[in-house]
Amino acid sequence: MTPSTEPHAIIVGAGLAGMVAAAELVEAGKHVTIVEQEPAASFGGQAWWSFGGLFLIDSPEQRRLGVHDSLELARQDWFGTAGFDRDEDHWPKKWAEAYLDFAAGEKRAWLHEKGVRFFPIVGWAERGGYSAGGPGNSVPRFHITWGTGPGVLAPFIRRVQEGVEAGLVTVLHRHRVDELIVDGGAVVGVRGAVLADDPALRGAASNRDVVGEFALRAPAVAVTSGGIGGNHDLVRANWPERLGTPPEFMLSGVPAHVDGRMLGITEKAGARLINGDRMWHYVEGIQNWNPVWPSHGIRILPGPSSLWLDAEGNRLPAPLFPGFDTLGTLEHLRATGHDYSWFVLTEKILEKEFTLSGSEQNPDFTNKDYRLLAKRVGPGAPGPVEAFKQKGADFIVAQTLPELLEGMQRLSDTPLDVDRVERHIRERDREMDNDFTKDAQITALRGARSYRGDKLIRVATPHKLLDPKAGPLIAVKLHVLTRKSLGGIETDLSGRALGADGQPIPGLYAAGEASGFGGGGVHGYRSLEGTFLGGCLFSGRQAGRAIAHL
């Protein structure tokens, strides 16, 4: 239903950043219209599918586990990871400082007041493995939301729905914005196509059949439409030389509607796009045996014990171990000329160290099921992991090493040096005979177990891969999985979109991934993990509050 009166603001995109901005406007008693090209089933966008990890600094959860964190340490990690080095990083650096203050300050209390709760064991994602001032988290900061992505979304969707009931919010599904209306240098509305109804389930591709047109006007328009991860052509077009050549074969970690259309449309209205070559893709992607969207991939969130090999059977160099440096590993693997790599592990490692990213892959956390959660510390792999082991196209399970190597050869697109693979496995296993070693990965996994959270549920007891008591042996073929845009619409700290002259474009705002999660690239070249949802929360809040004061 088209609103009968001009709203205070139009929000383009019904993902997390848009929901937060809309919730802030409802709190201020403002009228807002949300336009979204997808059906109502996909309300909430990408965040619904996420694991719900949030970056917090010096939280009660960290302190209870003996983790000593601080704003100073987090700033060291963020800036050492981001590697800001461009003139365009002026606003991204300001956003980074502001977000760190938020994560160390009111973020947890703000979410807690809205009913968001966290799993007591804090995860340690993106560990880095370089010097203290280099990339990676020095301490665990990955706080898993009780309820995963849907749990993060819930309070904001609830507030928006209350706004609908109060007559403050109008939600227009199947409304695709094709143009931002500009009048006298100011953005004053949106124009686009009404798409045909579609019964597509959440995340599934929907039709693009045009059945009408629409135009809406408002004093403010906020673009919260996400990034480009579902559009492989656009990903390849923006692929940076520093990461080698883009893969010919990639999986999608986001639905197809994450297509980047609004970035070009916003640029045509005068906004400046920056850091388009900065992007975040995973190298531990596996083909979903039960896909929802085209090329649907799932990311393995690995512990540090699996042996990582390239397509030819070469062991990856230190510190490119599972969970240490995502983009460093991507850069290395692209230099090999092959689109995939391998994990080699045991059932014992799989049971304790494999977690699959996504709300639907973690029913215990998502459904707040304590009984199911308790099974994570018992024998056997979590149900979704076991399902992939049995049904996934990329999994090989074998009782013997020759059988494993034969299975890897069957799935290989390039000749695999099985003698080299066997040598790497046996060399690694010999290093397990002592509590000390020259193998940096073994040192790292033993060090990880000094953190109580990792020892309890994340890192398997060190053992030989060829230990029959730890078997069977498992190999997993890993693919590049598209995920996040780290660049986007340049904004100031109020979320106002900036033009080529560096000045705010009247009436135009941006938040979430469309703005590089703030400023056009708050993460720089790399992310610390747990910061994508938080970036949507913070940038959406900043934009919503600024618009409310117009």
Side-chain angles (χ1 to χ4, degrees):
M1 180 179 68
T2 303
S4 57
T5 58
E6 181 178 287
H8 185 79
I10 297 166
I11 295 175
V12 183
L16 178 58
M19 292 297 97
V20 175
E24 291 291 336
L25 288 160
V26 171
E27 291 286 346
K30 304 295 185 180
H31 288 80
V32 58
T33 296
I34 301 170
V35 291
E36 167 61 53
Q37 68 178 355
E38 294 307 302
S42 288
F43 202 55
Q46 299 176 60
W48 190 93
W49 297 97
S50 75
F51 196 19
L54 290 172
F55 178 94
L56 297 172
I57 301 168
D58 192 27
S59 69
E61 289 79 14
Q62 287 175 300
R63 294 194 293 270
R64 281 195 290 267
L65 290 166
V67 175
H68 303 287
D69 200 6
S70 66
L71 178 58
E72 293 76 20
L73 182 62
R75 187 186 188 282
Q76 171 184 301
D77 290 346
W78 191 291
F79 279 77
T81 300
F84 295 123
D85 62 359
R86 298 173 175 175
D87 292 341
E88 293 86 352
D89 288 329
H90 171 76
W91 283 109
K93 285 191 287 188
K94 288 184 176 294
W95 272 92
E97 295 281 11
Y99 180 69
L100 287 165
D101 288 340
F102 178 60
E106 64 177 308
K107 179 180 178 181
R108 186 182 182 280
W110 178 64
L111 290 169
H112 197 271
E113 186 273 332
K114 296 180 182 300
V116 176
R117 299 293 183 267
F118 299 104
F119 184 58
I121 297 178
V122 184
W124 196 349
E126 205 61 21
R127 301 170 190 237
Y130 301 91
S131 67
N137 284 294
S138 297
V139 297
R141 297 191 178 104
F142 192 82
H143 295 68
I144 301 171
T145 303
W146 192 228
T148 64
V152 177
L153 277 165
F156 304 103
I157 289 180
R158 182 169 57 248
R159 194 71 182 100
V160 169
Q161 289 173 338
E162 290 170 353
V164 172
E165 295 170 1
L168 291 173
V169 177
T170 300
V171 181
L172 300 175
H173 293 287
R174 305 300 286 159
H175 281 58
R176 184 188 69 198
V177 173
D178 297 325
E179 178 188 357
L180 299 180
I181 302 172
V182 180
D183 187 358
V187 172
V188 297
V190 299
R191 183 179 291 117
V194 180
L195 304 179
D197 290 339
D198 196 304
L201 299 177
R202 179 183 291 276
S206 61
N207 73 67
R208 291 294 179 262
D209 301 333
V210 175
V211 296
E213 299 177 347
F214 74 96
L216 302 168
R217 288 180 173 259
V221 174
V223 177
T224 61
S225 54
I228 68 174
N231 185 338
H232 289 189
D233 290 339
L234 202 51
V235 168
R236 292 188 178 96
N238 285 277
W239 193 273
E241 288 187 10
R242 66 180 178 276
L243 294 180
T245 58
E248 292 183 16
F249 178 81
M250 294 188 287
L251 298 174
S252 289
V254 294
H257 64 252
V258 186
D259 54 15
R261 287 184 71 257
M262 281 305 303
L263 294 176
I265 291 168
T266 307
E267 185 177 35
K268 287 181 180 178
R272 185 186 185 206
L273 303 185
I274 60 174
N275 299 318
D277 64 324
R278 292 178 179 171
M279 51 186 66
W280 188 260
H281 307 305
Y282 293 110
V283 284
E284 313 99 334
I286 52 177
Q287 299 172 80
N288 194 343
W289 64 269
N290 187 24
V292 177
W293 54 79
S295 302
H296 189 176
I298 297 294
R299 187 212 174 187
I300 297 171
L301 295 168
S305 299
S306 297
L307 186 68
W308 206 336
L309 308 171
D310 68 19
E312 297 177 5
N314 301 293
R315 189 175 179 185
L316 270 59
L320 304 182
F321 313 132
F324 277 67
D325 180 5
T326 294
L327 287 199
T329 306
L330 176 61
E331 180 179 357
H332 174 82
L333 290 175
R334 293 311 308 143
T336 70
H338 305 296
D339 291 351
Y340 65 94
S341 60
W342 292 98
F343 277 167
V344 175
L345 60 147
T346 63
E347 175 73 21
K348 187 175 180 180
I349 293 172
L350 178 90
E351 290 179 358
K352 195 156 189 176
E353 297 196 6
F354 268 35
T355 299
L356 302 176
S357 182
S359 57
E360 82 285 12
Q361 301 297 332
N362 295 276
D364 47 356
F365 286 104
T366 301
N367 299 326
K368 305 179 183 179
D369 188 326
Y370 289 97
R371 288 187 177 182
L372 194 57
L373 180 64
K375 294 183 178 180
R376 286 192 182 238
V377 296
V385 174
E386 183 65 25
F388 267 89
K389 189 183 81 172
Q390 294 182 13
K391 304 175 184 179
D394 297 310
F395 279 72
I396 300 164
V397 182
Q399 296 300 322
T400 66
L401 181 56
E403 183 186 350
L404 185 81
L405 296 173
E406 182 182 346
M408 292 173 70
Q409 283 182 306
R410 284 198 307 270
L411 289 189
S412 291
D413 303 325
T414 192
L416 177 72
D417 189 332
V418 294
D419 292 336
R420 182 180 297 154
V421 174
E422 181 173 358
R423 176 169 59 83
H424 286 314
I425 292 172
R426 295 192 183 278
E427 286 175 345
R428 176 203 179 278
D429 279 6
R430 291 189 192 104
E431 296 292 313
M432 303 301 297
D433 287 333
N434 296 287
D435 291 337
F436 44 86
T437 176
K438 69 177 182 180
D439 190 297
Q441 183 177 4
I442 296 173
T443 297
L445 68 92
R446 285 173 173 160
R449 284 176 60 84
S450 65
Y451 167 51
R452 277 182 286 164
D454 275 353
K455 186 173 184 178
L456 181 62
I457 66 167
R458 195 71 180 120
V459 183
T461 304
H463 62 276
K464 295 184 177 183
L465 295 176
L466 297 181
D467 181 351
K469 296 190 296 295
L473 286 164
I474 299 168
V476 186
K477 187 178 182 181
L478 307 170
H479 310 275
V480 175
L481 178 75
T482 64
R483 188 59 67 89
K484 297 298 179 186
S485 309
L486 299 189
I489 302 164
E490 187 178 27
T491 64
D492 65 11
L493 285 176
S494 295
R496 297 184 298 179
L498 306 179
D501 59 358
Q503 297 302 306
I505 298 172
L508 183 59
Y509 294 75
E513 192 176 355
S515 67
F517 302 91
V522 68
H523 300 98
Y525 288 96
R526 283 177 163 94
S527 165
L528 280 175
E529 285 287 25
T531 53
F532 297 138
L533 291 178
C536 290
L537 292 170
F538 185 58
S539 62
R541 194 177 85 146
Q542 290 289 96
R545 292 184 176 184
I547 295 170
H549 284 93
L550 286 177

